[in-house]
């Protein structure tokens, strides 16, 4: 089903801090079907789009904050005449694990469910 998914990594210059970001002003700028070796948070600045994540489609709209795990496979597509602008923040797995450890949380609560919380 997702045999064509591309594995994305943080760019080398972002690996220094363990965090990177990307501002995308259109669904056309988003990567096709992909997964990562890092966690991702993205915030929809404006517009709407379809988000296909792990085979389930959901509508994204302005103001939504979405959490994506390394094993999640996802991509975006247009919905009607809308487009979408978003900011994506990639965070290396070790930083998320350290944060969970510091807060006394089990990272499995985030990675175990089929869809991200």
């Amino acid at each position: 089903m997702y045999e064509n998914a591309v594995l994305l990594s943080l760019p080398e210059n972002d690996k220094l801090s363990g965090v990177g970001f990307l501002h995308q002003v259109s669904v056309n700028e988003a990567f096709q079907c992909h997964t990562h070796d890092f966690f991702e948070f993205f915030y929809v600045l404006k517009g709407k789009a379809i988000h296909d994540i792990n085979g389930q489609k959901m509508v994204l709209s302005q103001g939504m904050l979405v959490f994506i795990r390394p094993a999640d496979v996802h991509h975006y597509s247009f919905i009607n005449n809308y487009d979408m602008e978003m900011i994506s923040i990639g965070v290396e797995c070790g930083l998320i694990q350290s944060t969970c450890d510091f807060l006394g949380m089990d990272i499995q609560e985030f990675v175990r469910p089929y869809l991200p919380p």
Side-chain angles (χ1 to χ4, degrees):
M1 179 172 174
Y2 292 115
E3 49 284 331
N4 293 332
V6 175
L7 175 63
L8 302 177
S9 295
L10 284 176
E12 282 303 314
N13 58 331
D14 292 336
K15 289 185 178 182
L16 223 49
S17 66
V19 178
F21 81 95
L22 185 61
H23 178 209
Q24 296 172 310
V25 297
S26 174
V27 170
N28 281 332
E29 292 183 358
F31 291 98
Q32 294 302 312
C33 190
H34 66 279
T35 187
H36 332 99
D37 60 3
F38 56 89
F39 287 88
E40 176 186 9
F41 299 87
F42 67 84
Y43 181 74
V44 180
L45 294 168
K46 57 183 161 180
K48 292 181 182 178
I50 299 291
H51 186 213
D52 184 321
I53 178 159
N54 299 336
Q56 296 203 2
K57 293 180 181 358
M58 47 188 52
V59 175
L60 297 174
S61 59
Q62 182 176 338
M64 293 181 82
L65 178 66
V66 181
F67 175 63
I68 304 294
R69 303 154 312 175
D72 292 328
V73 178
H74 68 127
H75 67 274
Y76 314 94
S77 55
F78 290 102
I79 180 172
N80 298 328
N81 294 324
Y82 290 97
D83 203 348
M84 178 180 71
E85 179 178 354
M86 69 178 188
I87 293 193
S88 173
I89 300 167
V91 182
E92 285 201 333
C93 296
L95 287 175
I96 298 293
Q97 181 65 60
S98 296
T99 302
C100 286
D101 292 346
F102 177 77
L103 295 173
M105 299 172 68
D106 181 3
I107 197 167
Q108 290 303 310
E109 296 302 315
F110 297 112
V111 297
R112 188 180 5 242
Y114 184 70
L115 291 174

